[in-house]
């Protein structure tokens, strides 16, 4: 039976530590860290994500400034707001909740965020720093959360065969860069055009799945003892939330596995807080946050 990698409790532990840390800054007479959160439109899932993120900010003492813009906001209006926030000394991080309405170019919006305030770590400069092994960039939240979880559970990654299913800019690709950063693991990335998915997944000692398709990975596609990190979030017709893997059957074969919900999701939110506080720390003349060290 697999160890269940409990992202929910670990994230709570991290939030409690961060809360104490922020209290120390306030005692020293410093201002609160501040995160600007921009939501365009009324996508129900995005509204839930934003609410979660803001509640977590409030719990640890991060001031979250919420900009809820209407669906018909133009790209120019959004760029103008980002420009203002880029120039505001009291704003540490800027988060634009994705997806954006189709009339707005996501890449142009990400490019407009000051890379030093890019808490999501999506800006090409931050991705480039990760790709070239420079330590002063910001790491995207989901890969960072997974990294922290692997370290916490003492999962050895050295010389391991890691297979990542899903090659998005926000999860799959930056995740692969983390494993490559110190040449720890051998990484294979699979995507929609991978010829024989099972051939690759069967080889994985660590399997990371970020696709968005329930039951994509079944027990016959993994080997005994694999560590499975399920990033997927899928809402079934009956309202149940599931990941991309057949959790019930794979847990009998794996050595460790993340549940959905309660695995990667809470760690992603914890990493957003870590990144915000890390940016704040550097502005206040401290080192970057130790939890961002990879
Ligand atoms: P995306 O849609 O941007 O990318 C999906 C990737 O899956 C693509 O690379 C695509 O080629 C690949 N893919 C599609 N079908 C495939 C198949 N049959 N076999 C192999 N690969 C296939 O997705 P994303 O934004 O990276 O999100 C992926 C999933 O992770 C979604 O369910 C999303 O909700 C979830 N997610 C969760 C968190 C979290 O914190 N838990 C964070 C981000 C995303």
């Amino acid at each position: 039976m697999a160890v269940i990698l409990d992202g929910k409790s670990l994230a709570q532990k991290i939030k409690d530590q961060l809360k104490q840390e922020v209290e120390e800054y306030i005692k020293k007479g410093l201002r609160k860290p501040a995160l600007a959160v921009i939501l365009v439109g009324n996508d129900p899932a995005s509204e839930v994500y934003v609410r979660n993120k803001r509640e977590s900010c409030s719990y640890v003492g991060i001031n979250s400034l919420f900009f809820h813009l209407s669906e018909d906001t133009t790209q120019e209006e959004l760029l103008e707001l980002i420009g203002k926030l880029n120039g505001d000394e009291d704003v540490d991080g800027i988060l634009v909740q994705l997806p954006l309405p189709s009339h707005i170019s996501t890449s142009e919006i990400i490019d407009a965020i000051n890379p030093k305030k890019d808490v999501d770590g999506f800006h090409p400069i931050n991705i480039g720093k990760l790709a070239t092994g420079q330590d002063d960039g910001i790491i995207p939240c989901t890969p960072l959360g997974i990294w922290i979880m692997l370290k916490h559970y003492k999962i050895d990654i050295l010389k391991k065969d890691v297979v990542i299913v899903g090659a998005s800019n926000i999860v799959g690709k930056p995740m692969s860069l983390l494993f490559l950063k110190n040449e720890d693991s051998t990484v294979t990335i699979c995507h929609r055009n991978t010829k024989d998915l099972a051939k690759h997944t069967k080889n994985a000692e660590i399997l990371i799945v970020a696709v968005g398709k329930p039951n994509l990975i079944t027990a016959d596609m993994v080997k005994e003892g694999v560590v499975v990190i399920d990033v997927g979030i899928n809402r079934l017709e009956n309202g149940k939330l599931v990941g991309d893997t057949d959790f019930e059957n794979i847990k009998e074969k794996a050595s460790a596995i993340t549940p959905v919900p309660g695995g990667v999701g809470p760690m992603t939110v914890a990493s957003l807080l870590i990144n915000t506080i890390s940016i704040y720390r550097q502005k206040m003349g401290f080192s970057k946050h130790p939890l961002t060290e990879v």
Side-chain angles (χ1 to χ4, degrees):
M1 255 292 269
V3 171
I4 306 300
L5 304 173
D6 183 353
K8 192 172 171 200
S9 326
L10 177 55
Q12 187 55 48
K13 228 163 107 177
I14 292 172
K15 285 200 273 188
D16 288 333
Q17 278 170 19
L18 296 175
K19 183 176 157 77
Q20 268 187 18
E21 192 181 325
V22 172
E23 279 167 6
E24 293 300 318
Y25 299 136
I26 308 299
K27 272 191 213 146
K28 285 187 182 140
L30 300 174
R31 67 162 170 83
K32 280 181 160 188
L35 174 67
V37 179
I38 305 173
L39 173 64
V40 186
N42 297 92
D43 174 56
S46 293
E47 285 187 353
V48 173
Y49 292 141
V50 163
R51 193 168 55 237
N52 264 336
K53 290 171 185 177
R54 296 193 64 224
E55 279 172 8
S56 297
C57 281
S58 151
Y59 181 82
V60 303
I62 294 172
N63 194 8
S64 79
L65 313 159
F66 187 34
F67 299 87
H68 194 173
L69 311 181
S70 66
E71 181 81 25
D72 59 1
T73 300
T74 63
Q75 176 155 325
E76 289 63 38
E77 286 166 333
L78 183 52
L79 287 171
E80 196 185 318
L81 172 61
I82 291 172
K84 270 194 204 139
L85 296 169
N86 279 342
D88 186 338
E89 264 308 298
D90 291 338
V91 170
D92 300 299
I94 302 171
L95 179 153
V96 179
Q97 182 65 40
L98 302 180
L100 287 166
S102 55
H103 64 277
I104 298 179
S105 154
T106 303
S107 61
E108 284 181 41
I109 295 303
I110 291 173
D111 287 359
I113 298 172
N114 176 348
K116 291 198 156 60
K117 295 191 176 193
D118 168 38
V119 268
D120 266 331
F122 295 160
H123 193 286
I125 289 198
N126 286 315
I127 295 293
K129 285 187 187 239
L130 181 57
T132 52
Q134 297 177 62
D135 283 323
D136 60 340
I138 297 167
I139 299 169
C141 298
T142 301
L144 178 61
I146 293 171
W147 194 260
I148 293 171
M149 186 154 59
L150 292 174
K151 277 207 290 196
H152 174 82
Y153 279 97
K154 301 195 166 43
I155 290 168
D156 190 13
I157 60 161
L158 192 64
K159 300 188 179 178
K160 293 288 190 277
D161 288 320
V162 174
V163 176
I164 300 172
V165 187
S168 71
N169 288 341
I170 65 171
V171 188
K173 282 186 205 153
M175 191 74 241
S176 70
L177 295 172
L178 269 180
F179 283 108
L180 288 174
K181 182 166 180 289
N182 304 311
E183 297 189 355
D184 291 316
S185 319
T186 302
V187 186
T188 303
I189 311 183
C190 304
H191 44 70
R192 60 167 68 84
N193 286 315
T194 297
K195 200 162 44 184
D196 182 353
L197 184 61
K199 181 183 108 184
H200 297 284
T201 57
K202 274 182 193 160
N203 186 43
E205 293 173 289
I206 299 174
L207 177 64
I208 303 200
V209 191
V211 171
K213 290 200 171 136
N215 242 18
L216 178 70
I217 308 295
T218 47
D220 58 319
M221 293 170 74
V222 301
K223 73 170 160 195
E224 206 71 47
V226 62
V227 173
V228 178
I229 307 292
D230 191 344
V231 184
I233 303 175
N234 307 290
R235 177 82 61 187
L236 300 182
E237 272 176 16
N238 63 11
K240 201 177 166 211
L241 213 56
V242 297
D244 291 346
T245 66
D246 176 1
F247 178 85
E248 285 308 322
N249 290 309
I250 292 180
K251 79 176 192 314
E252 305 299 325
K253 223 171 159 183
S255 60
I257 185 166
T258 58
V260 178
V264 176
M267 291 304 296
T268 298
V269 178
S271 298
L272 171 71
L273 308 174
I274 294 167
N275 277 345
T276 307
I277 292 176
S278 189
I279 297 169
Y280 166 87
R281 282 171 59 108
Q282 290 170 86
K283 256 195 186 160
M284 297 298 165
F286 306 115
S287 60
K288 66 180 203 162
H289 201 282
L291 283 171
T292 63
E293 271 157 29
V294 293

